[in-house]
Amino acid sequence: MQRIKTIAQLRDLLRPQRERQLGLVPTMGSLHEGHLSLIRQAAAECEQVVVSVFVNPLQFGPDEDLDRYPRNLERDCQLAEEAGADLVFAPGVEEMYPGEGKTTVRVAGLTDRLCGASRPGHFDGVATVVSKLFHIVEPDRAYFGQKDAQQAAVIQQMVRDLNLPVQIITCPTVREENGLALSSRNVYLTPEEKRQATTLYQTLREATREREAGRLCQAEEAVQFIRERLEQTAGLSIDYVEVLSYPGLEPLERLDDSPSIAAVAVYLGSTRLIDNVIWPKRREEDVPHPDEIQNPPSYRN
Ligand code: AMP
């Protein structure tokens, strides 16, 4: 008989490492280059890659776009395969939620702020479906986008709190040439709104430059700087602008070398868009910083 005191030891003993690493990329489909960059990274690091495509009703509020959310499974399967996926898991709602579920996974604190404040219950839906997917697929690694930085932080916290045996990998935000972060919801934008939407990243970049030049030293100053510029864009209404610690999402006063996030959410017409940058920028020897990745194919090469 053996006596074991650590979780890592217990796991090594009972559940030896799989020979073939299994990667999971959870998505809601309508795949674009952002999703495909996650799949490519998973394919580069894992022997087997599962992409889930599921528009999760639990994470949509009653007045949100669940019914009109873009869906195209045929195209998704083709793109996922080209990017290196071995399997697409596309369950129906009945398959994921048969009968009335009575269990919700809720990550406290982190989910009260930013998008959690504007979309009550959203992150409970995300944490619940992602933990279900982790149990169903049992991946060694799961890939998420920095574009949804709060989501990545929430999942990371859930994995830590519940000792889920999966490594969370966060991948850089993929953008159009003009800086607009790719999103399935960009299809809702008119050409004019699409042009206005570029202000988001341009403003975050400007704030980054100011911060690097030592001109934004307080979180509140940075918030004001971003807010003032966004307010000048016609047709754009601000949901939130916040500068918080990252990944803890705690309020900050002084901006120093510890990581922080400048996060924005705006409405253009009825479409809600989010974007963020992580500060401070990378040192030269670090991996490419999320915000500097603009050209997905060349990034992978
Ligand atoms: P979604 O289908 O919107 O739920 O997104 C599925 C995954 O793709 C999430 O982990 C997102 O953060 C990620 N993702 C969405 N857009 C981008 C993007 N532009 N760049 C990188 N990852 C993204």
Side-chain angles (χ1 to χ4, degrees), residues 70 107 138 170 225 229 272 297:
V107 179
E138 297 186 355
T170 308
F225 180 92
R229 273 151 190 82
R272 188 169 176 280

Side-chain angles (χ1 to χ4, degrees), residues 25-29 32-35 37-38 59 69 143-148 151 171-175 181-184:
V25 183
T27 81
M28 297 206 298
H32 51 64
E33 273 296 333
H35 300 112
S37 72
L38 269 50
Q59 69 191 70
Y69 195 85
Y143 294 80
F144 293 86
Q146 185 67 41
K147 153 88 174 14
D148 300 279
Q151 171 172 281
C171 306
T173 301
V174 177
R175 303 176 178 280
L182 299 188
S183 161
S184 305

